[in-house]
Amino acid sequence: MEIISNCTQDVIERAAKALKDGHLVAFPTETVYGLGADATNEHAVSRIYSVKGRPTGHPLIVHISSINQLDKWAIDIPEYAKKLASKFWPGPMTLILKRSDLAKNFVTGSQEKVGLRVPNHPIAIALLREFEKLEGVGIAAPSANKFSAVSPTTCSAVVEEIGECLENGDLVLDGLQSEIGIESTIIDCTNLRPVVLRPGFITNEQVEFASELNIDFSASKIKVSGILESHYSPKAKVVLDSIAMHGEGFVAMASIPTPKGVVRLASPATVEDFARDLYKALRLGDEKKLDKIIVLQPTGIGMALAIRDRLLKASHKES
Ligand code: TXA
Ligand code: MG
């Protein structure tokens, strides 16, 4: 495995070639870092599952370079999905659509649907375009963390999470800290109305406005690993909206003072900062070997809702 911090055009070309040759390439996106493989190469995709320790049957998001690639991977695309794609791509949104023959069982978890996203990060876009020049059609990439752990928002977090499991020929591209910091909004577009499977930076209000439809909030049976009860979890126990005691970690908006004797892990000034720094703060708590991290959740709708979704799962521990 090689970590590359200066992602020049030469490096991007090398990374695209590595993908084409069946290696894994971890790369930055605006949401979190992804662990990429050629989405049409069964062996390369199977390595994603073994590196992450992810149970097979959990579908992967296929990253594409532009909206023009959409109908290579999907069929029967409803009008409202096209409206969402043209409004929010490139960007932090994944659309679930009926799959074409290109999307094989090994990438969709044997579902008849495929998840697609055009990321908005210069390195990710450059990599996708270069991959296309080599006849690549899409990069399958889950977040570059061990299954059920905290998603990485920096290159060093990727290396810490999965570095040991990467092999000769695999690459990790450094693109500084992910600007958004939580994973994309996932929207199932296989019904008459959009269904939000995972909230994110693109809010329910924005989805309804752009699609000109009301979201269907009735429960969906589709399998999304982020729906498992315990997910996005650090080693420390995450406790929500509780009083922080001496020696415990503490994450809250900057306007909330630090209680005496607690270890402040983040002081975001806005909900956007909260999202960007949350996973970094949880990792910092683990680095400091804290047993418990108290998080005072942001209130309100929009991004705050997506943050609370992740925190609810991060705070679920079986033991
Ligand atoms: O922001 C993101 O979406 C990041 C970056 C790297 O793009 N990726 C990401 O991937 O979060 P992952 O695998 O960690 O989470 C993707 C979620 C999973 O929970 C998966 O089950 C769901 O998307 N998903 C993917 N394809 C699906 C499909 N065909 N049907 C339903 N859910 C799907
Ligand atoms: Mg993930």
Side-chain angles (χ1 to χ4, degrees):
M1 181 267 289
E2 197 183 332
I3 305 162
I4 309 184
S5 8
N6 183 14
C7 291
T8 58
Q9 180 59 24
D10 282 359
V11 168
I12 298 293
E13 283 171 21
R14 235 186 94 197
K17 173 84 169 45
L19 285 170
K20 203 64 195 154
D21 291 343
H23 297 293
L24 301 185
V25 176
F27 61 95
T29 84
E30 78 281 28
T31 57
V32 299
Y33 274 66
L35 176 63
D38 179 346
T40 62
N41 180 331
E42 183 165 14
H43 177 70
V45 169
S46 76
R47 280 201 54 225
I48 289 182
Y49 285 87
S50 56
V51 166
K52 278 182 66 84
R54 179 173 174 148
T56 47
H58 284 278
L60 300 175
I61 296 172
V62 177
H63 295 68
I64 52 178
S65 66
S66 80
I67 194 170
N68 300 332
Q69 308 295 312
L70 193 53
D71 46 18
K72 286 204 174 122
W73 288 95
I75 54 169
D76 302 342
I77 305 166
E79 253 341 283
Y80 74 85
K82 290 181 189 158
K83 285 182 193 163
L84 289 169
S86 50
K87 176 79 186 163
F88 298 117
W89 279 348
M93 177 187 75
T94 297
L95 298 183
I96 306 295
L97 294 159
K98 211 160 149 190
R99 68 170 168 179
S100 73
D101 288 342
L102 193 58
K104 304 289 186 221
N105 285 343
F106 60 79
V107 90
T108 70
S110 301
Q111 300 194 48
E112 291 306 316
K113 302 168 183 192
V114 61
L116 296 165
R117 172 162 117 82
V118 181
N120 188 13
H121 188 290
I123 294 179
I125 292 277
L127 181 62
L128 283 160
R129 291 207 178 125
E130 214 45 57
F131 188 56
E132 234 169 76
K133 287 190 198 158
L134 304 176
E135 318 281 295
V137 274
I139 302 176
S143 51
N145 52 279
K146 288 284 186 188
F147 182 64
S148 91
V150 179
S151 297
T153 54
T154 61
C155 177
S156 57
V158 172
V159 176
E160 195 182 291
E161 276 284 324
I162 57 163
E164 290 186 334
C165 306
L166 296 177
E167 294 174 357
N168 235 346
D170 296 339
L171 299 174
V172 181
L173 305 183
D174 189 349
L176 306 176
Q177 184 177 351
S178 295
E179 266 173 49
I180 291 178
I182 57 171
E183 306 80 357
S184 61
T185 306
I186 301 182
I187 308 164
D188 183 356
C189 299
T190 60
N191 303 293
L192 290 175
R193 292 192 286 142
V195 176
V196 174
L197 298 178
R198 180 174 72 183
F201 185 81
I202 307 293
T203 64
N204 290 344
E205 297 70 33
Q206 287 176 300
V207 171
E208 293 194 330
F209 189 75
S211 66
E212 296 174 66
L213 287 170
N214 293 322
I215 291 172
D216 182 355
F217 285 105
S218 57
S220 165
K221 291 189 194 78
I222 289 185
K223 212 185 281 171
V224 181
S225 65
I227 281 173
L228 291 179
E229 286 211 326
S230 171
H231 217 79
Y232 317 112
S233 301
K235 292 185 186 74
K237 188 173 165 56
V238 175
V239 179
L240 305 179
D241 302 323
S242 172
I243 295 170
M245 309 300 271
H246 195 273
E248 291 178 350
F250 185 66
V251 176
M253 297 295 285
S255 55
I256 301 169
T258 312
K260 219 169 154 215
V262 313
V263 185
R264 184 109 196 192
L265 299 169
S267 304
T270 61
V271 270
E272 286 76 20
D273 290 356
F274 203 119
R276 192 195 56 213
D277 293 337
L278 176 63
Y279 291 155
K280 206 169 76 174
L282 297 180
R283 278 180 193 284
L284 185 61
D286 280 350
E287 254 170 58
K288 290 181 181 292
K289 307 215 177 329
L290 303 179
D291 294 328
K292 211 189 247 189
I293 302 172
I294 308 296
V295 184
L296 304 191
Q297 304 187 85
T299 53
I301 56 169
M303 254 312 237
L305 198 125
I307 295 169
R308 293 199 300 275
D309 163 79
R310 305 307 191 277
L311 281 169
L312 184 66
K313 284 155 193 154
S315 65
H316 258 85
K317 272 261 156 86
E318 271 80 328
S319 55

